[in-house]
Coordinates of all heavy atoms in Angstrom, one line a residue:
Chain A
L361 N -3.7 -30.5 -22.7 CA -2.3 -30.5 -22.7 C -1.8 -29.1 -23.1 O -2.3 -28.5 -24.1 CB -1.7 -31.5 -23.8 CG -1.8 -32.9 -23.2 CD1 -1.5 -33.9 -24.4 CD2 -0.7 -33.1 -22.1
T362 N -0.9 -28.6 -22.4 CA -0.4 -27.2 -22.6 C 0.7 -27.2 -23.6 O 1.7 -28.0 -23.4 CB 0.1 -26.6 -21.2 OG1 -1.0 -26.8 -20.3 CG2 0.4 -25.2 -21.4
V363 N 0.6 -26.4 -24.6 CA 1.6 -26.4 -25.7 C 2.4 -25.1 -25.7 O 3.4 -25.0 -26.4 CB 1.0 -26.7 -27.1 CG1 0.4 -28.1 -27.1 CG2 -0.1 -25.6 -27.4
S364 N 2.0 -24.1 -24.9 CA 2.8 -22.9 -24.8 C 2.6 -22.3 -23.5 O 1.6 -22.5 -22.8 CB 2.3 -21.9 -25.9 OG 1.1 -21.4 -25.7
A365 N 3.5 -21.5 -23.1 CA 3.4 -20.7 -21.8 C 4.0 -19.3 -22.1 O 4.9 -19.2 -22.9 CB 4.2 -21.4 -20.7
R366 N 3.4 -18.3 -21.5 CA 3.9 -17.0 -21.8 C 5.2 -16.7 -20.9 O 5.4 -17.3 -19.9 CB 2.8 -15.9 -21.4 CG 1.6 -16.0 -22.3 CD 0.7 -14.8 -22.2 NE 0.0 -14.7 -21.0 CZ -1.0 -13.9 -20.8 NH1 -1.4 -13.0 -21.7 NH2 -1.7 -13.9 -19.7
G367 N 6.0 -15.9 -21.5 CA 7.2 -15.5 -20.7 C 6.9 -14.4 -19.7 O 5.7 -14.0 -19.6
L368 N 7.9 -14.0 -19.1 CA 7.7 -13.0 -18.0 C 8.9 -12.0 -17.9 O 10.0 -12.4 -18.1 CB 7.7 -13.7 -16.6 CG 7.4 -12.9 -15.4 CD1 6.0 -12.5 -15.3 CD2 7.8 -13.7 -14.1
T369 N 8.5 -10.8 -17.7 CA 9.5 -9.8 -17.3 C 8.9 -9.0 -16.1 O 7.7 -8.8 -16.1 CB 10.1 -8.9 -18.4 OG1 11.2 -8.2 -18.0 CG2 9.0 -7.9 -18.9
A370 N 9.8 -8.6 -15.2 CA 9.2 -7.9 -14.0 C 10.1 -6.7 -13.7 O 11.3 -6.7 -13.9 CB 9.3 -8.8 -12.8
L371 N 9.4 -5.7 -13.2 CA 10.2 -4.5 -12.7 C 9.4 -3.8 -11.6 O 8.2 -4.0 -11.5 CB 10.6 -3.5 -13.8 CG 9.5 -2.7 -14.4 CD1 9.9 -1.2 -14.6 CD2 9.1 -3.2 -15.8
E372 N 10.1 -3.1 -10.8 CA 9.5 -2.3 -9.7 C 10.0 -0.9 -9.9 O 11.2 -0.7 -10.2 CB 9.8 -2.9 -8.4 CG 9.2 -2.3 -7.2 CD 9.5 -3.0 -5.9 OE1 9.6 -4.2 -5.9 OE2 9.5 -2.3 -4.8
F373 N 9.2 0.1 -9.7 CA 9.8 1.5 -9.7 C 9.2 2.3 -8.6 O 8.1 2.0 -8.0 CB 9.6 2.1 -11.1 CG 8.2 2.5 -11.4 CD1 7.7 3.8 -11.3 CD2 7.3 1.5 -12.0 CE1 6.4 4.1 -11.6 CE2 6.0 1.9 -12.3 CZ 5.6 3.2 -12.2
T374 N 10.0 3.3 -8.2 CA 9.7 4.3 -7.2 C 9.7 5.7 -7.7 O 10.6 6.0 -8.4 CB 10.7 4.1 -6.0 OG1 10.5 2.8 -5.5 CG2 10.5 5.1 -4.9
V375 N 8.7 6.4 -7.4 CA 8.6 7.9 -7.7 C 8.9 8.6 -6.4 O 8.2 8.4 -5.4 CB 7.3 8.3 -8.3 CG1 7.2 9.8 -8.5 CG2 7.0 7.5 -9.6
R376 N 9.9 9.5 -6.4 CA 10.2 10.3 -5.2 C 10.0 11.8 -5.5 O 10.5 12.3 -6.5 CB 11.7 10.1 -4.8 CG 11.9 8.9 -3.9 CD 13.3 8.8 -3.4 NE 13.5 7.5 -2.8 CZ 13.8 6.4 -3.6 NH1 14.2 6.6 -4.8 NH2 13.9 5.2 -3.0
G377 N 9.3 12.4 -4.6 CA 9.1 13.8 -4.7 C 9.9 14.5 -3.6 O 11.1 14.5 -3.7
P378 N 9.2 15.0 -2.6 CA 10.0 15.6 -1.5 C 10.8 14.5 -0.7 O 10.4 13.4 -0.8 CB 8.9 16.2 -0.6 CG 7.6 15.5 -1.0 CD 7.8 15.1 -2.4
G379 N 11.8 15.0 0.0 CA 12.7 14.1 0.7 C 12.1 13.4 1.9 O 12.7 12.5 2.4
R380 N 11.0 13.9 2.3 CA 10.3 13.3 3.5 C 8.8 13.5 3.3 O 8.4 14.3 2.5 CB 10.8 13.9 4.8 CG 10.5 15.4 4.9 CD 10.9 16.0 6.2 NE 10.4 17.4 6.4 CZ 10.9 18.5 5.9 NH1 12.1 18.4 5.2 NH2 10.4 19.6 6.1
D381 N 8.0 12.8 4.1 CA 6.6 13.0 4.1 C 6.3 14.4 4.6 O 6.9 14.8 5.6 CB 5.9 11.9 5.0 CG 5.9 10.5 4.3 OD1 6.4 10.4 3.2 OD2 5.4 9.6 5.0
L382 N 5.3 15.0 3.9 CA 5.0 16.4 4.3 C 3.5 16.5 4.7 O 2.7 15.6 4.3 CB 5.2 17.4 3.2 CG 6.7 17.5 2.7 CD1 6.8 18.4 1.4 CD2 7.6 18.0 3.8
H383 N 3.1 17.5 5.4 CA 1.7 17.8 5.7 C 1.0 18.2 4.5 O 1.4 19.2 3.9 CB 1.7 18.8 6.8 CG 0.3 19.1 7.4 ND1 -0.6 19.8 6.7 CD2 -0.3 18.7 8.5 CE1 -1.7 19.9 7.4 NE2 -1.5 19.2 8.5
S384 N 0.0 17.5 4.1 CA -0.7 17.9 2.8 C -1.5 19.2 2.9 O -1.8 19.8 1.9 CB -1.6 16.7 2.4 OG -2.7 16.6 3.2
G385 N -1.8 19.6 4.1 CA -2.4 20.9 4.2 C -1.4 22.0 4.0 O -1.7 22.9 3.1
R386 N -0.3 22.0 4.6 CA 0.7 23.0 4.5 C 1.3 23.0 3.1 O 1.5 24.1 2.5 CB 1.8 22.9 5.5 CG 2.7 24.0 5.5 CD 3.8 24.0 6.5 NE 4.7 25.1 6.0 CZ 6.0 25.0 5.9 NH1 6.6 23.9 6.3 NH2 6.8 26.0 5.5
H387 N 1.6 21.8 2.6 CA 2.4 21.8 1.3 C 1.6 21.4 0.1 O 2.1 21.6 -1.0 CB 3.5 20.7 1.5 CG 4.5 21.1 2.6 ND1 5.6 21.9 2.4 CD2 4.5 20.8 3.9 CE1 6.2 22.1 3.6 NE2 5.6 21.4 4.5
G388 N 0.4 20.9 0.3 CA -0.4 20.5 -0.9 C -0.7 21.7 -1.8 O -1.1 22.8 -1.4
G389 N -0.5 21.5 -3.1 CA -0.6 22.6 -4.1 C 0.7 23.2 -4.5 O 0.8 23.9 -5.5
G390 N 1.7 22.9 -3.7 CA 3.0 23.5 -4.0 C 4.0 22.6 -4.7 O 4.9 23.1 -5.4
L391 N 3.8 21.3 -4.6 CA 4.7 20.3 -5.1 C 4.0 19.2 -5.8 O 2.9 18.9 -5.5 CB 5.5 19.7 -3.9 CG 6.3 20.6 -3.0 CD1 6.6 19.9 -1.7 CD2 7.5 21.1 -3.7
H392 N 4.8 18.5 -6.6 CA 4.3 17.2 -7.2 C 4.0 16.3 -6.0 O 4.8 16.0 -5.2 CB 5.3 16.6 -8.1 CG 5.1 17.0 -9.5 ND1 4.0 16.8 -10.2 CD2 6.0 17.6 -10.3 CE1 4.2 17.2 -11.5 NE2 5.4 17.7 -11.6
N393 N 2.8 15.7 -6.0 CA 2.4 14.6 -5.1 C 2.8 13.3 -5.8 O 2.3 13.0 -6.9 CB 0.9 14.7 -4.8 CG 0.5 13.6 -3.9 OD1 1.0 12.5 -3.8 ND2 -0.5 13.9 -3.1
P394 N 3.8 12.5 -5.3 CA 4.2 11.3 -6.0 C 3.0 10.3 -6.3 O 3.1 9.6 -7.3 CB 5.2 10.7 -5.0 CG 5.7 11.8 -4.2 CD 4.5 12.8 -4.1
L395 N 2.0 10.4 -5.5 CA 0.8 9.5 -5.8 C 0.1 10.0 -7.1 O -0.3 9.2 -7.9 CB -0.2 9.5 -4.7 CG 0.3 9.0 -3.3 CD1 -0.7 9.1 -2.3 CD2 0.8 7.6 -3.5
H396 N 0.0 11.3 -7.3 CA -0.6 11.8 -8.5 C 0.3 11.4 -9.7 O -0.2 11.0 -10.8 CB -0.8 13.3 -8.5 CG -1.6 13.8 -7.4 ND1 -1.9 15.2 -7.3 CD2 -2.1 13.2 -6.3 CE1 -2.6 15.3 -6.2 NE2 -2.8 14.2 -5.6
V397 N 1.6 11.6 -9.5 CA 2.5 11.3 -10.6 C 2.5 9.8 -11.0 O 2.4 9.5 -12.2 CB 4.0 11.8 -10.2 CG1 5.0 11.3 -11.2 CG2 4.0 13.3 -10.0
I398 N 2.5 9.0 -10.0 CA 2.6 7.5 -10.3 C 1.3 7.1 -11.0 O 1.3 6.3 -11.9 CB 2.9 6.7 -9.1 CG1 3.6 5.4 -9.5 CG2 1.7 6.4 -8.2 CD1 4.3 4.6 -8.4
A399 N 0.2 7.7 -10.6 CA -1.1 7.4 -11.2 C -1.1 7.7 -12.7 O -1.5 7.0 -13.5 CB -2.3 8.1 -10.5
R400 N -0.5 8.9 -12.9 CA -0.5 9.4 -14.3 C 0.5 8.5 -15.1 O 0.2 8.1 -16.3 CB 0.0 10.9 -14.3 CG -0.2 11.6 -15.6 CD -0.1 13.1 -15.5 NE -1.2 13.7 -14.8 CZ -2.3 14.1 -15.5 NH1 -2.4 13.9 -16.8 NH2 -3.3 14.6 -14.8
M401 N 1.6 8.1 -14.5 CA 2.5 7.2 -15.2 C 1.9 5.9 -15.5 O 2.1 5.3 -16.6 CB 3.8 7.1 -14.4 CG 4.7 8.4 -14.4 SD 6.0 8.3 -13.1 CE 7.1 7.2 -13.9
V402 N 1.3 5.3 -14.5 CA 0.7 4.0 -14.7 C -0.5 4.1 -15.7 O -0.6 3.2 -16.6 CB 0.1 3.5 -13.3 CG1 -0.8 2.2 -13.6 CG2 1.3 3.1 -12.4
A403 N -1.2 5.1 -15.7 CA -2.3 5.3 -16.6 C -1.8 5.4 -18.1 O -2.4 5.0 -19.0 CB -3.2 6.5 -16.3
S404 N -0.6 5.9 -18.2 CA 0.0 6.1 -19.5 C 0.4 4.8 -20.2 O 0.8 4.7 -21.3 CB 1.2 7.1 -19.5 OG 2.3 6.4 -19.0
L405 N 0.5 3.7 -19.4 CA 1.0 2.4 -19.9 C 0.0 1.7 -20.8 O 0.4 0.8 -21.6 CB 1.4 1.5 -18.7 CG 2.6 2.0 -17.9 CD1 2.7 1.2 -16.6 CD2 3.9 1.8 -18.7
H406 N -1.3 2.0 -20.7 CA -2.3 1.4 -21.6 C -3.1 2.6 -22.3 O -3.3 3.6 -21.7 CB -3.2 0.5 -20.8 CG -2.6 -0.7 -20.2 ND1 -2.0 -0.6 -19.0 CD2 -2.5 -2.0 -20.7 CE1 -1.5 -1.9 -18.7 NE2 -1.8 -2.7 -19.7
D407 N -3.6 2.3 -23.4 CA -4.6 3.2 -24.0 C -6.0 2.9 -23.3 O -6.1 1.8 -22.7 CB -4.6 3.2 -25.5 CG -5.2 2.0 -26.1 OD1 -5.8 1.2 -25.4 OD2 -4.9 1.8 -27.3
P408 N -7.0 3.7 -23.5 CA -8.2 3.5 -22.8 C -8.9 2.2 -23.2 O -9.7 1.6 -22.5 CB -9.1 4.7 -23.2 CG -8.1 5.8 -23.6 CD -6.9 5.1 -24.2
E409 N -8.5 1.6 -24.4 CA -9.1 0.4 -24.9 C -8.4 -0.8 -24.3 O -8.9 -2.0 -24.5 CB -9.1 0.3 -26.4 CG -10.2 1.2 -27.0 CD -9.9 2.6 -26.9 OE1 -8.7 3.0 -27.1 OE2 -10.8 3.4 -26.5
G410 N -7.3 -0.7 -23.7 CA -6.6 -1.8 -23.1 C -5.4 -2.3 -23.8 O -4.7 -3.2 -23.4
R411 N -5.0 -1.6 -24.9 CA -3.8 -1.9 -25.6 C -2.6 -1.3 -24.8 O -2.7 -0.2 -24.3 CB -3.9 -1.3 -27.0 CG -3.1 -1.9 -28.1 CD -3.4 -1.2 -29.5 NE -4.6 -1.6 -30.1 CZ -5.7 -0.8 -30.1 NH1 -5.7 0.4 -29.6 NH2 -6.8 -1.2 -30.7
V412 N -1.5 -2.0 -24.8 CA -0.3 -1.5 -24.1 C 0.3 -0.3 -25.0 O 0.5 -0.5 -26.2 CB 0.8 -2.6 -23.9 CG1 2.0 -2.0 -23.3 CG2 0.2 -3.7 -23.0
S413 N 0.5 0.8 -24.3 CA 0.9 2.0 -25.1 C 2.4 2.2 -25.1 O 2.9 3.2 -25.6 CB 0.3 3.3 -24.4 OG -1.0 3.2 -24.3
V414 N 3.2 1.3 -24.5 CA 4.6 1.4 -24.5 C 5.2 1.3 -25.9 O 4.9 0.3 -26.6 CB 5.2 0.4 -23.6 CG1 6.8 0.4 -23.6 CG2 4.8 0.6 -22.1
D415 N 6.0 2.2 -26.3 CA 6.5 2.3 -27.7 C 7.2 1.0 -28.0 O 8.2 0.6 -27.2 CB 7.4 3.5 -27.8 CG 7.8 3.7 -29.3 OD1 6.9 3.6 -30.1 OD2 9.0 3.9 -29.5
G416 N 6.9 0.3 -29.1 CA 7.6 -0.9 -29.5 C 7.2 -2.2 -28.7 O 7.7 -3.3 -29.0
F417 N 6.2 -2.1 -27.8 CA 5.9 -3.3 -27.0 C 5.5 -4.5 -27.9 O 5.8 -5.6 -27.6 CB 4.7 -2.9 -26.0 CG 4.4 -4.0 -25.1 CD1 5.1 -4.3 -24.0 CD2 3.2 -4.8 -25.3 CE1 4.8 -5.3 -23.1 CE2 2.9 -5.9 -24.4 CZ 3.7 -6.1 -23.3
Y418 N 4.7 -4.2 -29.0 CA 4.2 -5.3 -29.8 C 5.1 -5.6 -31.0 O 4.8 -6.4 -31.8 CB 2.8 -5.0 -30.3 CG 1.8 -4.9 -29.2 CD1 1.3 -3.6 -28.8 CD2 1.3 -6.0 -28.6 CE1 0.3 -3.5 -27.8 CE2 0.3 -5.9 -27.6 CZ -0.2 -4.7 -27.2 OH -1.1 -4.6 -26.2
N419 N 6.3 -4.9 -31.1 CA 7.2 -5.0 -32.3 C 7.5 -6.5 -32.7 O 7.4 -6.8 -33.8 CB 8.5 -4.3 -32.0 CG 8.4 -2.9 -32.4 OD1 7.3 -2.4 -32.7 ND2 9.5 -2.2 -32.4
D420 N 7.9 -7.3 -31.7 CA 8.4 -8.6 -32.0 C 7.4 -9.7 -31.9 O 7.7 -10.9 -31.8 CB 9.6 -8.9 -31.1 CG 10.7 -7.8 -31.3 OD1 11.0 -7.4 -32.4 OD2 11.2 -7.4 -30.2
V421 N 6.1 -9.3 -31.7 CA 5.0 -10.3 -31.5 C 4.5 -10.7 -32.9 O 4.1 -9.9 -33.7 CB 3.9 -9.6 -30.7 CG1 2.7 -10.5 -30.6 CG2 4.4 -9.2 -29.3
S422 N 4.6 -12.0 -33.1 CA 4.0 -12.5 -34.4 C 2.5 -12.7 -34.3 O 2.0 -13.0 -33.2 CB 4.7 -13.8 -34.8 OG 5.0 -14.6 -33.7
P423 N 1.8 -12.5 -35.4 CA 0.3 -12.6 -35.4 C -0.1 -14.0 -35.0 O 0.7 -15.0 -35.2 CB -0.1 -12.3 -36.8 CG 1.1 -12.0 -37.6 CD 2.3 -12.2 -36.7
L424 N -1.3 -14.2 -34.4 CA -1.8 -15.5 -34.1 C -2.0 -16.3 -35.3 O -2.6 -15.8 -36.3 CB -3.1 -15.4 -33.3 CG -3.0 -14.9 -31.9 CD1 -4.3 -15.2 -31.1 CD2 -1.8 -15.5 -31.1
S425 N -1.6 -17.6 -35.3 CA -1.9 -18.4 -36.5 C -3.4 -18.8 -36.5 O -4.0 -18.9 -35.5 CB -1.1 -19.7 -36.4 OG -1.7 -20.6 -35.5
P426 N -3.9 -19.0 -37.8 CA -5.3 -19.4 -37.9 C -5.6 -20.7 -37.1 O -6.7 -20.8 -36.6 CB -5.5 -19.6 -39.4 CG -4.4 -18.8 -40.0 CD -3.2 -18.8 -39.1
D427 N -4.7 -21.6 -37.1 CA -4.9 -22.9 -36.3 C -5.1 -22.6 -34.9 O -6.1 -23.2 -34.3 CB -3.7 -23.8 -36.5 CG -3.6 -24.4 -37.9 OD1 -4.5 -24.1 -38.7 OD2 -2.6 -25.1 -38.1
I428 N -4.3 -21.8 -34.3 CA -4.4 -21.5 -32.9 C -5.7 -20.8 -32.6 O -6.5 -21.1 -31.6 CB -3.2 -20.6 -32.4 CG1 -1.9 -21.3 -32.3 CG2 -3.6 -19.8 -31.1 CD1 -1.7 -22.0 -31.0
R429 N -6.1 -19.9 -33.5 CA -7.4 -19.1 -33.3 C -8.5 -20.1 -33.4 O -9.5 -20.0 -32.6 CB -7.5 -18.0 -34.3 CG -6.4 -17.0 -34.2 CD -6.7 -15.6 -34.8 NE -7.5 -14.9 -33.8 CZ -7.7 -13.5 -33.9 NH1 -7.1 -12.9 -34.9 NH2 -8.4 -12.9 -33.0
A430 N -8.5 -21.0 -34.3 CA -9.6 -22.0 -34.5 C -9.7 -22.9 -33.3 O -10.8 -23.2 -32.8 CB -9.3 -22.8 -35.8
D431 N -8.5 -23.5 -32.8 CA -8.5 -24.3 -31.7 C -9.1 -23.6 -30.5 O -9.9 -24.2 -29.7 CB -7.1 -24.8 -31.3 CG -6.6 -25.9 -32.3 OD1 -7.3 -26.1 -33.3 OD2 -5.5 -26.4 -32.1
T432 N -8.7 -22.4 -30.3 CA -9.1 -21.7 -29.1 C -10.6 -21.4 -29.2 O -11.4 -21.6 -28.2 CB -8.4 -20.3 -29.0 OG1 -7.0 -20.6 -29.1 CG2 -8.6 -19.6 -27.7
A433 N -11.1 -21.1 -30.4 CA -12.5 -20.8 -30.5 C -13.4 -22.1 -30.3 O -14.5 -22.0 -29.9 CB -12.8 -20.3 -31.9
A434 N -12.7 -23.3 -30.6 CA -13.5 -24.6 -30.4 C -13.6 -25.0 -29.0 O -14.4 -25.9 -28.7 CB -12.7 -25.7 -31.2
L435 N -12.9 -24.4 -28.1 CA -13.0 -24.8 -26.7 C -14.3 -24.4 -26.1 O -14.9 -23.4 -26.4 CB -11.8 -24.2 -25.9 CG -10.4 -24.7 -26.1 CD1 -9.4 -23.7 -25.6 CD2 -10.3 -26.1 -25.4
P436 N -14.8 -25.2 -25.1 CA -16.1 -24.8 -24.5 C -15.9 -23.7 -23.5 O -15.6 -24.0 -22.3 CB -16.5 -26.1 -23.8 CG -15.2 -26.9 -23.5 CD -14.3 -26.5 -24.6

Side-chain angles (χ1 to χ4, degrees):
Chain A
L361 281 167
T362 305
V363 296
S364 71
R366 293 195 287 191
L368 181 76
T369 191
L371 71 137
E372 183 173 330
F373 69 98
T374 295
V375 174
R376 273 188 195 85
R380 61 177 192 275
D381 286 358
L382 300 175
H383 186 284
S384 70
R386 186 178 168 226
H387 298 275
L391 301 165
H392 267 300
N393 181 328
L395 299 177
H396 303 186
V397 173
I398 207 165
R400 195 168 284 276
M401 289 168 72
V402 168
S404 77
L405 292 167
H406 295 83
D407 70 15
E409 284 70 45
R411 207 177 281 106
V412 176
S413 302
V414 174
D415 191 43
F417 184 80
Y418 295 106
N419 272 8
D420 305 316
V421 174
S422 34
L424 288 197
S425 77
D427 286 357
I428 287 273
R429 301 200 82 162
D431 284 7
T432 310
L435 287 163

